[in-house]
Amino acid sequence: MKTLLFYFLFIFFLFSFSFFLSDLFGIPTNNGIINVKYKCEFLINTTICNNNILKSINITNNDTLKNININNSDQEANPMNVSLIKDINYTKFHPLKYDTIIKKSIVNNIPKENLGSINEPSVATKGNLIFYVGNYYAARSTDGGQTWEFLDPYYDFENIHKPQIHKFCCDQRVIYDERNDIFIWYRQGEIPQDLYRTINSTANKITIGISNDTYSWHMYTIYPTEILKINLKKYYKLDFPEISLGNKFLYITSNVIYIPVDSSKANTNSYNPVSENPNYAFIFRIPLNQLSNNNFTSYEYGSILHRHVFVPIQGSSNILYWATLYQDKILIYSWSEKENQFFESVVNVDPYYKIDSNGKQCDSKEFAFWCIDMESIITAGWKGNNTIGFLWNAIYPTVKDNKTTYNTYIDGAIFELNKDGSINKESYKRTYIINPNYSWLMGSTSPNINGEIGIVSFYGNNNDVPIGVAFGKLINSTKWDMMSLINNTSTLPIFFENCNQSPRFQKGCTSYLIGDFLTSRSNSENDNYWDIAAYIFNGTREHDVVPYYFNTK
């Protein structure tokens, strides 16, 4: 009898210990439970716990979509030897016009060490309740931006017993779903490494937080191995995420990027895909009613090999559209909320000069130096009344005194939609933000409730200096009207004290890195307003950054 009791206790111990390992170290157990798990933690002095275990995930794999022929060597695009834009209609810009600003607030009380020049802010609002995140911090205001409270995004993300496992860093996105009255908070981890920078996991993780009030959160953890449903024998990371809302689903897009096994290359930008180490772009969607009821039990996903940076539209309803660039084409995807498959449309766009993926055109003071770490990637998408549009970074040459110089601008495409929601390829119109006296990068767009399209972007001058942040509106079918929101009080480059971990830097180096996105969201309280997350530089050190919240019209 004692022997049977001993064996029973021993088996129970092994079974319980397997769950302990799974929760503590992110080790998946072979018990048939899918690796999308609820995290029970303490976050910001608030207990969040739910004992429901996810027992199944319903997955629709859409990898059988139509492909165009891809030559992997062309993934790093070169400038086209063609005329850029014939008969340019320069964008109107009002550098001293601030009458669109309803509210302006410095997001203060952020510890200096949590600020950085690669800030990449995002914002979600519900009346006077504002939730605001950057790459290394989160903040909350309950009085419309008059005061702010710092929240630590690292706190519940990392393993307190072994903090080098599943560390938080760095991309965050937030959005408010008015229909279901929930804030949605996306956080991205980094590839786990031990103290000697040895990679010890095949993938990073993400967490999705759901809250009605930004105080009590339900957190879910997702791993890319489960999204792709493949055994990743190499090292991969999720990166460059974006989130968007439909009527019934939360949509999340991201890259799944190959990381070299050699840890000395793990933090470089040498992610060019090769056949045995493929990169993916993927999208997955989660029913919003599950998230709002704290009952996340299913999602659908699709991944496409050798694609780079999926960007979804903002303002979706029953069909989500997203896009990516390839050579002189824009690849647009559509996914109806009634269907379990999505479709690809391939459209040729007018030629434009591409920013090299390693910023080679920006390595000389004769070029737009502040685009040193940029690419010609889609940064924004929107849905208007019966149109969709996308914007991307680009660069153009000008000749003066027999000397060719380059400057950055924002290029784009607008399409009409057919009655069935399909894309009218023949309706393609070019749109752009270009001005002979200013440069532009990293546009972020969204419709307000009335369907007007707003944009926030960085802007600079022709002396390679980012001046500040601009806001604008689409004033007719293709033209934008831009005005300044806030200007920097210092110039690039930024001085980094500890940047010896990347081959781009030496200790005590300078950098022109400014991040990959700003954020524009429709305001849920006023039909004519937008919420903006942006930042400026107020010094030449890495942490000399001031994040701002704007409410504009």
Side-chain angles (χ1 to χ4, degrees):
M1 186 67 180
K2 290 182 178 179
T3 302
L4 289 175
L5 179 61
F6 172 81
Y7 279 116
F8 174 78
L9 292 174
F10 180 74
I11 292 171
F12 178 79
F13 170 80
L14 289 178
F15 183 79
S16 302
F17 189 66
S18 69
F19 278 98
F20 171 78
L21 287 176
S22 178
D23 283 336
L24 189 59
F25 299 108
I27 301 173
T29 56
N30 297 320
N31 55 11
I33 298 176
I34 211 72
N35 207 2
V36 179
K37 302 185 305 176
Y38 190 87
K39 296 293 290 184
C40 176
E41 297 285 355
F42 292 89
L43 177 65
I44 317 161
N45 299 321
T46 301
T47 303
I48 50 174
C49 191
N50 188 322
N51 294 321
N52 293 332
I53 298 177
L54 305 181
K55 296 184 178 180
S56 64
I57 297 294
N58 300 318
I59 302 223
T60 301
N61 189 340
N62 299 311
D63 287 339
T64 58
L65 298 173
K66 182 187 76 172
N67 263 308
I68 62 172
N69 293 327
I70 297 289
N71 182 345
N72 292 332
S73 64
D74 289 336
Q75 287 292 315
E76 186 173 304
N78 296 315
M80 298 179 181
N81 187 19
V82 295
S83 299
L84 175 69
I85 302 175
K86 296 180 179 179
D87 302 322
I88 297 177
N89 293 313
Y90 288 117
T91 303
K92 292 181 179 180
F93 180 58
H94 313 282
L96 300 176
K97 184 179 180 181
Y98 303 103
D99 60 356
T100 65
I101 300 174
I102 306 300
K103 189 181 297 182
K104 179 173 70 174
S105 171
I106 295 176
V107 184
N108 52 22
N109 291 326
I110 307 299
K112 196 76 170 178
E113 62 270 18
N114 288 78
L115 295 172
S117 62
I118 307 175
N119 198 274
E120 300 179 339
S122 184
V123 66
T125 66
K126 173 189 174 183
N128 284 328
L129 179 59
I130 307 171
F131 196 64
Y132 191 108
V133 298
N135 258 2
Y136 316 104
Y137 64 89
R140 173 178 54 229
S141 174
T142 59
D143 53 17
Q146 296 182 53
T147 59
W148 294 89
E149 176 187 3
F150 167 71
L151 309 176
D152 187 1
Y154 295 80
Y155 178 76
D156 69 319
F157 197 94
E158 300 177 1
N159 188 303
I160 60 175
H161 299 286
K162 203 170 184 181
Q164 68 271 22
I165 300 291
H166 296 310
K167 296 183 68 174
F168 166 73
C169 187
C170 304
D171 290 348
Q172 300 187 80
R173 305 299 275 156
V174 293
I175 198 167
Y176 174 66
D177 175 21
E178 183 180 12
R179 182 170 300 174
N180 292 283
D181 187 27
I182 54 174
F183 288 84
I184 300 170
W185 180 12
Y186 177 104
R187 285 181 292 169
Q188 176 180 287
E190 63 182 356
I191 287 284
Q193 300 175 1
D194 64 20
L195 298 178
Y196 303 98
R197 297 188 59 76
T198 301
I199 296 174
N200 54 31
S201 177
T202 57
N204 59 346
K205 72 173 184 179
I206 62 173
T207 66
I208 299 172
I210 306 298
S211 176
N212 298 111
D213 57 8
T214 74
Y215 284 88
S216 298
W217 292 89
H218 288 79
M219 297 291 177
Y220 300 93
T221 300
I222 299 177
Y223 297 87
T225 48
E226 294 301 332
I227 297 169
L228 293 177
K229 299 304 294 181
I230 58 175
N231 182 18
L232 295 179
K233 297 180 180 179
K234 303 295 183 181
Y235 300 104
Y236 284 80
K237 67 177 290 187
L238 299 171
D239 198 18
F240 208 91
E242 187 53 276
I243 59 178
S244 181
L245 296 174
N247 288 344
K248 297 180 180 180
F249 292 94
L250 166 69
Y251 295 88
I252 300 175
T253 60
S254 181
N255 285 340
V256 183
I257 302 173
Y258 167 68
I259 302 295
V261 176
D262 182 352
S263 62
S264 66
K265 300 178 182 179
N267 289 324
T268 71
N269 288 325
S270 57
Y271 299 149
N272 294 328
V274 292
S275 58
E276 66 271 21
N277 296 313
N279 286 356
Y280 294 82
F282 81 88
I283 182 169
F284 70 101
R285 67 185 188 186
I286 305 170
L288 286 166
N289 63 350
Q290 291 186 11
L291 296 177
S292 63
N293 292 319
N294 301 321
N295 185 32
F296 175 17
T297 57
S298 65
Y299 63 80
E300 298 172 292
Y301 85 101
S303 60
I304 300 184
L305 187 64
H306 302 317
R307 296 290 191 268
H308 181 56
V309 185
F310 280 168
V311 174
I313 64 167
Q314 301 298 322
S316 174
S317 54
N318 61 339
I319 300 177
L320 182 79
Y321 304 88
W322 68 98
T324 187
L325 295 174
Y326 177 73
Q327 294 181 344
D328 58 345
K329 300 176 177 63
I330 182 171
L331 313 180
I332 306 174
Y333 303 88
S334 58
W335 194 357
S336 169
E337 297 197 334
K338 298 178 181 179
E339 302 289 341
N340 60 3
Q341 59 182 333
F342 55 80
F343 302 94
E344 180 184 72
S345 300
V346 181
V347 184
N348 290 321
V349 296
D350 292 335
Y352 60 95
Y353 282 82
K354 294 180 174 68
I355 302 175
D356 185 273
S357 62
N358 291 315
K360 293 177 183 177
Q361 297 127 309
C362 306
D363 281 344
S364 166
K365 290 296 285 184
E366 296 181 357
F367 299 97
F369 205 37
W370 61 306
C371 68
I372 184 68
D373 199 49
M374 300 295 177
E375 295 180 69
S376 286
I377 55 175
I378 292 178
T379 64
W382 71 91
K383 182 177 183 294
N385 292 327
N386 194 41
T387 61
I388 59 170
F390 297 94
L391 299 178
W392 55 87
N393 300 324
I395 198 166
Y396 71 94
T398 57
V399 179
K400 185 177 182 180
D401 299 329
N402 294 321
K403 183 179 181 180
T404 301
T405 59
Y406 289 78
N407 212 353
T408 57
Y409 76 104
I410 294 174
D411 211 325
I414 296 176
F415 299 89
E416 295 177 3
L417 298 174
N418 297 318
K419 290 183 178 181
D420 62 356
S422 61
I423 298 162
N424 183 348
K425 298 181 183 180
E426 305 302 320
S427 68
Y428 161 65
K429 294 179 181 178
R430 188 175 201 170
T431 184
Y432 48 78
I433 299 174
I434 189 170
N435 187 289
N437 301 314
Y438 298 94
S439 50
W440 311 87
L441 274 175
M442 305 311 299
S444 171
T445 59
S446 65
N448 62 17
I449 295 176
N450 279 341
E452 299 174 292
I453 310 304
I455 182 173
V456 61
S457 75
F458 289 117
Y459 81 101
N461 61 21
N462 288 341
N463 293 319
D464 314 325
V465 178
I467 296 174
V469 177
F471 170 77
K473 291 184 282 188
L474 189 63
I475 57 176
N476 64 21
S477 60
T478 59
K479 294 181 180 180
W480 300 83
D481 189 51
M482 304 295 294
M483 58 216 72
S484 54
L485 278 180
I486 191 74
N487 291 339
N488 297 319
T489 58
S490 64
T491 62
L492 296 180
I494 298 294
F495 180 80
F496 281 69
E497 295 183 4
N498 297 296
C499 49
N500 57 322
Q501 295 181 353
S502 171
R504 281 187 176 227
F505 299 130
Q506 300 297 324
K507 188 174 179 63
C509 68
T510 58
S511 170
Y512 285 77
L513 306 181
I514 62 172
D516 289 328
F517 53 79
L518 305 172
T519 298
S520 168
R521 301 274 191 229
S522 63
N523 181 271
S524 61
E525 297 288 311
N526 193 299
D527 293 355
N528 300 312
Y529 290 3
W530 291 268
D531 297 310
I532 302 295
Y535 62 100
I536 63 167
F537 303 100
N538 67 342
T540 58
R541 298 280 176 164
E542 176 185 2
H543 304 298
D544 293 338
V545 171
V546 182
Y548 272 86
Y549 162 74
F550 294 92
N551 185 233
T552 64
K553 66 177 182 179

